Amino acid sequence: MIRKLLIAILTAVSIAPVMGQKWHVKPTLNYKTVLGFSDGMARVKSTEGKWGFINTEGKEVVPARYDDAADFMEGKAAVKINGKYGYINKSGKMVIKPRFDDAFFFRKGIAKVRKGLWGYINVKGRTVVPFRYAGIAYFYGGLAAVKKRGKWGFINKKGKEVIPPAYEQVMDFHTGNWAAVKKKGKWGFINKNGQEVTTFDYDYAWYFQEGMCGLQQGKKHSYINAKGKAITEFKYDKTGWFNEGLGTVRVGRKNGFIDKTGKEVIPPKYQSMWSFQEGLCFVKLNDKWGAIDKKGNTVIPHQYDFAYKFHEGLAKVKANGKRGFINKRGKLVFMCKFDSASEFRGGYAVAKQAGKWGILKTPLR
């Protein structure tokens, strides 16, 4: 009993706040749901089930009157009213009239929208690729995946089918000149000219991230680099993606990291983990979450019930059923007192306490 009491006291001391940050906007906002900030605006859902937007001061600048809404991106947000989607600007003005069956965010001046079939529009609402596809993705590396007559191919930004639809599934040209495609139940790779640059021997393939791509053959996994060279044998039970120079691997139920040469720089020993972000990674050990650096050193003790990735120097953590935020030194910047909280985006986060929502402002700027 004494030992348990000492552990509890030490834990309480170790996660005690050092900054005592206050609310930017006190928890007085009465919404059913408030989502994180994007482009300086946060989506809100009223108690009647309608969507609108608030700004970083908590002011409802777009009244909650829409049946659905997406985040603001590039100054516009898709909203649904009377069964159709259109786009509003940050003052709430409808700048692209509601006429679409479905609509997504703008990325580099182009949004994918559906009118029966899928196509693309520009920021003025003009059609840049006709509505003729059963499925589409966003453009990466100048090409976008499209689906027609049950098969996938790729178009350029002029709408030309540079790689005719011939594949069962495809991945994007995410960060490289190769894309994984599926043919006759197996995966291989093509280049941007549509040439098949590998054999189709894989049971699954991901997209390239930081010049590396995870593969599955049978029940085992590996990675290849941008030249198609395997950096490990097919010996892992799972691979994921590379981020900040390190890729995730799993052996049995334990997780670790390899570098781009295939070396296990952090041996698999963790129950669960994220990928590295902002130089640190949260990992789960002995049923508690803490953070490690890229050498595998524990820099934030394993004391949280859950933890998320760092965003803008702050990470959301959970202790005793409540959420809070810590900095990269592991010090609590906002105490674990929130029932729910978003990540910090653009310097702000939303949080819920005692049934009401408020807004937090980062102290790091």
Side-chain angles (χ1 to χ4, degrees):
M1 179 65 72
I2 294 176
R3 183 174 181 272
K4 290 183 178 180
L5 180 61
L6 287 172
I7 291 173
I9 293 171
L10 289 172
T11 300
V13 170
S14 67
I15 62 174
V18 296
M19 295 186 181
Q21 295 300 317
K22 299 179 180 179
W23 291 93
H24 176 64
V25 174
K26 292 182 179 180
T28 57
L29 305 177
N30 188 26
Y31 294 105
K32 185 175 182 180
T33 304
V34 182
L35 301 178
F37 282 96
S38 177
D39 214 3
M41 305 282 276
R43 278 186 284 165
V44 296
K45 188 176 186 179
S46 70
T47 54
E48 291 77 29
K50 297 294 185 178
W51 290 91
F53 292 86
I54 60 172
N55 63 17
T56 56
E57 299 304 311
K59 180 182 178 182
E60 189 177 282
V61 292
V62 178
R65 62 186 181 190
Y66 296 104
D67 299 319
D68 193 16
D71 284 336
F72 270 91
M73 298 284 285
E74 300 183 0
K76 294 179 178 61
V79 294
K80 184 180 183 181
I81 190 167
N82 297 325
K84 295 294 181 179
Y85 284 87
Y87 289 84
I88 59 173
N89 64 17
K90 289 186 178 181
S91 66
K93 180 182 178 181
M94 190 71 72
V95 292
I96 299 176
K97 293 181 180 180
R99 62 182 188 272
F100 306 111
D101 300 318
D102 205 349
F104 283 75
F105 56 86
F106 275 92
R107 183 179 182 272
K108 296 183 179 181
I110 293 177
K112 59 180 187 178
V113 293
R114 183 170 64 86
K115 289 177 68 176
L117 295 175
W118 290 90
Y120 299 87
I121 60 172
N122 63 18
V123 294
K124 295 183 178 180
R126 294 173 182 167
T127 301
V128 293
V129 175
F131 299 91
R132 59 190 178 196
Y133 296 106
I136 58 176
Y138 279 95
F139 284 89
Y140 290 93
L143 299 179
V146 295
K147 186 180 184 181
K148 187 167 68 174
R149 293 189 293 272
K151 299 290 185 179
W152 287 87
F154 291 86
I155 62 172
N156 61 21
K157 289 186 176 180
K158 294 182 179 180
K160 181 181 178 181
E161 291 179 2
V162 294
I163 301 175
Y167 298 102
E168 296 156 20
Q169 288 179 260
V170 298
M171 294 291 179
D172 296 316
F173 285 95
H174 197 256
T175 57
N177 294 318
W178 288 11
V181 295
K182 186 180 182 182
K183 181 177 71 172
K184 295 180 180 179
K186 293 289 185 178
W187 288 81
F189 292 86
I190 60 173
N191 62 21
K192 290 183 177 180
N193 295 320
Q195 297 169 320
E196 295 178 356
V197 292
T198 69
T199 56
F200 284 69
D201 296 330
Y202 306 112
D203 293 306
Y204 199 77
W206 284 256
Y207 56 79
F208 277 90
Q209 178 80 2
E210 294 190 359
M212 311 298 290
C213 180
L215 299 173
Q216 180 180 351
Q217 200 167 59
K219 294 184 178 181
K220 295 297 182 180
H221 296 248
S222 178
Y223 284 101
I224 61 171
N225 61 24
K227 296 181 179 180
K229 181 180 179 181
I231 65 166
T232 72
E233 298 176 355
F234 282 90
K235 63 180 182 178
Y236 293 108
D237 294 307
K238 188 177 180 180
T239 56
W241 288 271
F242 269 77
N243 204 47
E244 297 189 359
L246 297 179
T248 59
V249 293
R250 179 183 294 173
V251 177
R253 296 185 177 182
K254 301 297 184 181
N255 300 276
F257 291 90
I258 64 173
D259 65 17
K260 291 185 177 182
T261 69
K263 179 183 177 182
E264 289 185 2
V265 293
I266 302 175
K269 64 178 182 179
Y270 300 106
Q271 294 168 271
S272 188
M273 64 187 187
W274 297 101
S275 58
F276 274 89
Q277 188 156 302
E278 298 184 10
L280 296 177
C281 180
F282 279 99
V283 294
K284 185 179 181 181
L285 187 66
N286 298 325
D287 294 326
K288 292 292 183 180
W289 287 81
I292 58 173
D293 63 19
K294 291 183 179 180
K295 294 182 179 179
N297 300 313
T298 300
V299 295
I300 297 174
H302 295 269
Q303 59 189 342
Y304 295 105
D305 300 324
F306 199 76
Y308 302 78
K309 294 182 180 181
F310 275 97
H311 289 272
E312 300 179 0
L314 296 173
K316 183 169 57 174
V317 294
K318 183 179 179 182
N320 300 319
K322 300 293 185 179
R323 282 84 171 167
F325 291 88
I326 62 173
N327 63 21
K328 290 185 178 181
R329 297 190 302 275
K331 302 299 183 181
L332 270 170
V333 177
F334 292 96
M335 293 178 64
C336 291
K337 61 182 181 180
F338 310 123
D339 299 316
S340 181
S342 73
E343 315 291 349
F344 273 88
R345 302 286 186 184
Y348 296 90
V350 298
K352 187 178 185 181
Q353 187 177 29
K356 297 292 181 70
W357 292 87
I359 299 174
L360 308 174
K361 184 177 181 180
T362 180
L364 305 184
R365 293 187 175 184

